[in-house]
Amino acid sequence: MPDVNMDSNEDMVFDPDQDPEEKRAVRQNYRSLAKKIEEHQGNPNDILAEDLLSQVQQADQLFSRVKGPQEATLDSHLLLVASNMGAQKARAMKSGSGAFDVDDFVSKLVSFMAGPNALEDALPDDSDAEDTNDGSPLDWDRIGRKAMAKSRRVPVMGFMLGPLSIEQKKRAAVKRAKLEKNKEDMRKPQELKEEDITRSQNETTKNVAILEAMLGECGPINIFKFVVNPNDFAQSVENIFYLSFLIRDGKAALDLQNGEPIIYGCEEPSDADYVGGLKKRQIVLEFDMATWKRAIEVFDITETLIPQRPPSETRLGDKWYG
């Protein structure tokens, strides 16, 4: 048996160099077998169990020639179709040999309780004669003793499970009070027209120009001494933001001199400078509250070089917002 299993495993090895004609024949045979089963998909009684078994056995013989995944997929598809067909046939099976005959049971029950000749005595000799049954009672104790021999449970009174009449419960409709809103509490949203919005001039462009002029007057200077406002952290951040536009456009340059960051104004480079090899470089400057306080302490900044700007205000309709 181990030798047989080893040979079967060797036959199932994937072979990419299998003969194309052989692969084509295997696929054709699998599709043909699957088609025969699928033709009876709607009526499983048209196909016999022997025919279904025969097709599965043919698929087993074809599987010995399967060397690729596509053929193996067709084999699994065929087995799936065959198993579904077998399940349909099993559900459609009807066995009438073990059916329960109520009339036969009642006749045997009466015969047992009233004696073997009860039915014959109850029937008259002439079919036109009147019923001559004397109405003798049935011996229920006899069938009771027969039943008690099969069970040791003491017979007790039982109850019917469930009510005799079922009343369908009607779901009561719940009326919900409609929420009424007080018209006095309702407020109409403020309507804004285009002429109500005061258009302010571009603050960014103006402030960038101010920093460019001041940088030209100051000359090379420590970047922190230039942008830090010791009285306002928010405006210090804004000064760095405006300065970044000058550095981006090449109107300002940042350099390290003796370990100190120095900012100074310069001429905007031309296209010829970039062709000659000039390259732009970008840096990320981290500036938080702790850095702001540390710069004021280290560089002894007591006054701001850039004038304090008033807080900007925006007008919407008749109201001003800071």
Side-chain angles (χ1 to χ4, degrees):
M1 289 299 293
D3 297 339
V4 174
N5 293 335
M6 187 178 299
D7 295 340
S8 61
N9 293 334
E10 291 178 357
D11 294 340
M12 296 173 61
V13 176
F14 171 65
D15 185 9
D17 299 328
Q18 186 181 8
D19 185 10
E21 294 297 332
E22 184 181 1
K23 294 170 64 176
R24 190 177 297 109
V26 171
R27 296 175 189 174
Q28 184 177 1
N29 292 333
Y30 270 121
R31 292 190 180 99
S32 177
L33 292 176
K35 185 178 179 180
K36 292 180 180 179
I37 300 177
E38 291 174 349
E39 289 177 351
H40 305 284
Q41 199 74 25
N43 192 359
N45 294 328
D46 293 344
I47 184 172
L48 299 177
E50 291 76 7
D51 298 338
L52 191 62
L53 178 60
S54 175
Q55 293 175 1
V56 173
Q57 291 175 350
Q58 293 180 29
D60 290 341
Q61 296 177 0
L62 283 176
F63 189 72
S64 61
R65 299 163 57 188
V66 172
K67 302 295 182 181
Q70 187 172 358
E71 292 77 18
T73 303
L74 292 175
D75 179 80
S76 61
H77 173 70
L78 176 63
L79 292 179
L80 179 62
V81 173
S83 61
N84 291 337
M85 179 60 69
Q88 291 182 13
K89 289 185 66 63
R91 287 192 295 267
M93 289 178 60
K94 292 183 179 180
S95 178
S97 58
F100 181 74
D101 190 351
V102 179
D103 296 335
D104 183 55
F105 174 74
V106 171
S107 63
K108 290 182 179 180
L109 191 62
V110 171
S111 175
F112 179 79
M113 290 189 295
N117 299 325
L119 294 178
E120 297 179 358
D121 297 340
L123 293 176
D125 297 336
D126 189 0
S127 59
D128 296 334
E130 296 181 356
D131 188 8
T132 59
N133 189 7
D134 56 355
S136 58
L138 299 177
D139 189 2
W140 289 95
D141 292 339
R142 186 178 183 186
I143 191 64
R145 289 191 297 271
K146 195 72 173 179
M148 287 298 298
K150 307 298 181 182
S151 175
R152 296 183 180 180
R153 184 189 303 177
V154 178
V156 294
M157 183 180 296
F159 298 92
M160 295 182 65
L161 299 178
L164 295 177
S165 62
I166 300 177
E167 297 181 359
Q168 185 176 4
K169 296 182 179 179
K170 295 183 179 180
R171 190 172 184 179
V174 180
K175 295 183 179 180
R176 297 183 179 179
K178 186 177 181 181
L179 179 62
E180 296 182 358
K181 297 182 180 179
N182 190 0
K183 295 183 178 180
E184 296 180 357
D185 297 337
M186 299 175 63
R187 295 181 180 180
K188 186 178 181 180
Q190 183 181 3
E191 296 182 0
L192 297 179
K193 299 180 181 179
E194 187 176 359
E195 57 268 14
D196 294 336
I197 301 176
T198 305
R199 300 183 179 275
S200 61
Q201 58 180 338
N202 195 331
E203 295 290 337
T204 302
T205 304
K206 183 182 72 173
N207 293 327
V208 170
I210 293 174
L211 263 68
E212 182 181 2
M214 294 188 62
L215 190 60
E217 296 175 1
C218 297
I221 187 174
N222 186 295
I223 186 174
F224 293 104
K225 292 182 180 180
F226 182 69
V227 299
V228 170
N229 185 339
N231 303 320
D232 196 331
F233 170 72
Q235 291 213 1
S236 301
V237 176
E238 293 177 0
N239 293 337
I240 297 176
F241 173 71
Y242 299 139
L243 182 62
S244 64
F245 287 96
L246 296 177
I247 299 177
R248 183 200 64 180
D249 297 336
K251 298 179 180 180
L254 179 63
D255 193 11
L256 289 176
Q257 298 180 5
N258 299 326
E260 188 174 353
I262 302 299
I263 191 75
Y264 56 90
C266 60
E267 294 183 1
E268 185 176 358
S270 61
D271 295 338
D273 296 332
Y274 291 114
V275 173
L278 180 63
K279 295 182 180 179
K280 289 185 178 181
R281 295 182 180 179
Q282 297 179 352
I283 62 172
V284 177
L285 177 62
E286 182 181 357
F287 191 80
D288 53 6
M289 184 73 74
T291 306
W292 173 69
K293 293 179 180 180
R294 182 64 175 167
I296 296 174
E297 179 182 355
V298 172
F299 299 107
D300 193 18
I301 302 174
T302 57
E303 297 180 357
T304 176
L305 292 178
I306 303 174
Q308 180 84 19
R309 293 179 296 275
S312 59
E313 294 181 346
T314 303
R315 181 184 176 187
L316 295 177
D318 299 332
K319 298 183 180 180
W320 290 86
Y321 299 89

